[in-house]
């Protein structure tokens, strides 16, 4: 129920945040990332596939994730 996120080129001088989207594109609650290794609580997500988008002022990376309970 915890998703570990590691950012290789973390820069605390820029705004780092994540957003999670379901497969229909609906954006679920998002939050800021405050360190190069963060844990995201996924307890509120139903089992299935989602996309996580991690971005800052310069870069944006989107990955597909699977939530299983």
């Amino acid at each position: 129920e915890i998703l570990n996120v590691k950012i290789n080129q973390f820069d605390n001088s820029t705004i780092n945040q994540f957003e999670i989207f379901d497969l229909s594109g609906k954006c679920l609650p998002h939050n800021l990332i405050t360190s190069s290794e963060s844990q995201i609580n996924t307890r509120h997500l139903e089992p299935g596939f989602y996309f996580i988008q991690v971005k800052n002022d310069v870069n944006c990376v989107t990955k597909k994730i699977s939530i299983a309970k």
Side-chain angles (χ1 to χ4, degrees):
E1 297 183 12
I2 298 293
L3 176 66
N4 293 308
V5 175
K6 182 176 181 182
I7 302 172
N8 292 330
Q9 297 176 347
F10 181 82
D11 181 359
N12 62 7
S13 66
T14 62
I15 297 172
N16 296 277
Q17 68 177 2
F18 73 88
E19 296 176 322
I20 296 177
F21 299 89
D22 64 17
L23 292 181
S24 71
K26 179 182 173 186
C27 182
L28 305 172
H30 60 279
N31 208 340
L32 298 179
I33 296 176
T34 57
S35 69
S36 63
E37 293 185 22
S38 296
Q39 293 185 331
I40 300 170
N41 182 347
T42 59
R43 288 186 187 124
H44 64 285
L45 299 177
E46 294 293 323
F49 291 101
Y50 295 86
F51 292 100
I52 183 169
Q53 188 175 73
V54 179
K55 58 185 174 180
N56 62 21
D57 296 339
V58 179
N59 297 308
C60 179
V61 176
T62 303
K63 298 287 184 178
K64 187 175 183 180
I65 59 173
S66 174
I67 302 296
K69 296 185 180 183

